[in-house]
Amino acid sequence: ETGVTQSPTHLIKTRGQQVTLRCSSQSGHNTVSWYQQALGQGPQFIFQYYREEENGRGNFPPRFSGLQFPNYSSELNVNALELDDSALYLCASSLGGLVPGLAGETDTQYFGPGTRLTVL
Amino acid sequence: SQQGEEDPQALSIQEGENATMNCSYKTSINNLQWYRQNSGRGLVHLILIRSNEREKHSGRLRVTLDTSKKSSSLLITASRAADTASYFCATAPDGNKLVFGAGTILRVKS
């Protein structure tokens, strides 16, 4: 158990619809990252939030957006769903910011179980 | 684009045997991490090795890092059926955003 939860577990939508996926980070973790994992592939970085501000974005269009809240919860929103958006969506929380002993380094990310999105 | 590339893509071994997976990456790194994923669910962090370390152990896991060759290997000794999973290496060439390879699928037969 990583202490990171995601909801829902599974979701089926149709093309053109909008979807909101939710994540609850470990308490005290100021950074949340979202990843998309297509079948048979490794996770692809979507974006990251640090203390409610976007802190980097991968190669995903603007219809992928996010929010991070002060209570360590966050959301991934996807508008105008496309068939290729079908994937496992993973959130990961980490301490982020200035971590003693890890200055300038990556700190460990703790992943949730993921949300399986199917777009028909 | 993917920073890390794992090799082999799939590996099938008998319980009790050792499993070795390799990872190559493209840019300079501060550290490299290995993750495990069971049945398409969440990833579990296994081990992090820093760029100034050459080898690191954690239980039955042994990770090596060769920054001159931009490669790393993960060795699982005395494998168990429960080790059946996909294994990914990940680096962070741009801050704290992990870049994963396509993974190695390990199957341990009992």
Side-chain angles (χ1 to χ4, degrees), chain A:
Chain A
E1 288 293 329
T2 63
V4 180
T5 60
Q6 291 186 244
S7 63
T9 304
H10 295 89
L11 199 54
I12 299 175
K13 291 285 189 178
T14 56
R15 203 168 37 178
Q17 285 188 312
Q18 178 267 342
V19 69
T20 297
L21 310 181
R22 293 180 172 83
C23 172
S24 179
S25 301
Q26 281 194 22
S27 180
H29 281 192
N30 295 310
T31 298
V32 64
S33 305
W34 286 89
Y35 296 84
Q36 179 195 66
Q37 185 178 21
L39 201 62
Q41 302 290 321
Q44 298 287 317
F45 173 75
I46 302 175
F47 47 56
Q48 181 183 86
Y49 279 78
Y50 174 68
R51 291 187 172 174
E52 302 162 52
E53 297 286 333
E54 188 175 292
N55 183 38
R57 190 178 185 91
N59 189 26
F60 281 82
R63 58 191 186 84
F64 286 78
S65 63
L67 287 171
Q68 184 186 27
F69 304 101
N71 64 350
Y72 303 112
S73 66
S74 58
E75 292 179 354
L76 164 64
N77 298 288
V78 187
N79 293 323
L81 284 167
E82 301 176 359
L83 297 179
D84 286 349
D85 295 334
S86 294
L88 181 69
Y89 288 85
L90 299 159
C91 74
S93 76
S94 55
L95 282 169
L98 293 177
V99 179
L102 285 178
E105 291 190 1
T106 311
D107 58 303
T108 299
Q109 298 194 15
Y110 298 88
F111 283 80
T115 293
R116 174 75 62 186
L117 172 66
T118 301
V119 182
L120 302 175

Side-chain angles (χ1 to χ4, degrees), chain B residues 71-89:
Chain B
S71 67
S72 174
S73 67
L74 170 67
L75 169 67
I76 304 174
T77 60
S79 62
R80 306 165 182 169
D83 294 329
T84 294
S86 294
Y87 292 81
F88 297 90
C89 68

Side-chain angles (χ1 to χ4, degrees), chain B residues 11-13 39 51 60 64 68 70 75 84:
Chain B
L11 183 60
S12 183
I13 60 174
S39 301
S51 58
R60 294 184 295 113
T64 62
S68 67
K70 292 186 169 61
L75 169 67
T84 294

Side-chain angles (χ1 to χ4, degrees), chain B residues 46-47 49 55-64 75 77:
Chain B
L46 295 176
I47 196 165
I49 185 166
E55 188 171 311
K56 197 164 183 179
H57 296 254
S58 177
R60 294 184 295 113
L61 305 180
R62 172 179 167 252
V63 169
T64 62
L75 169 67
T77 60

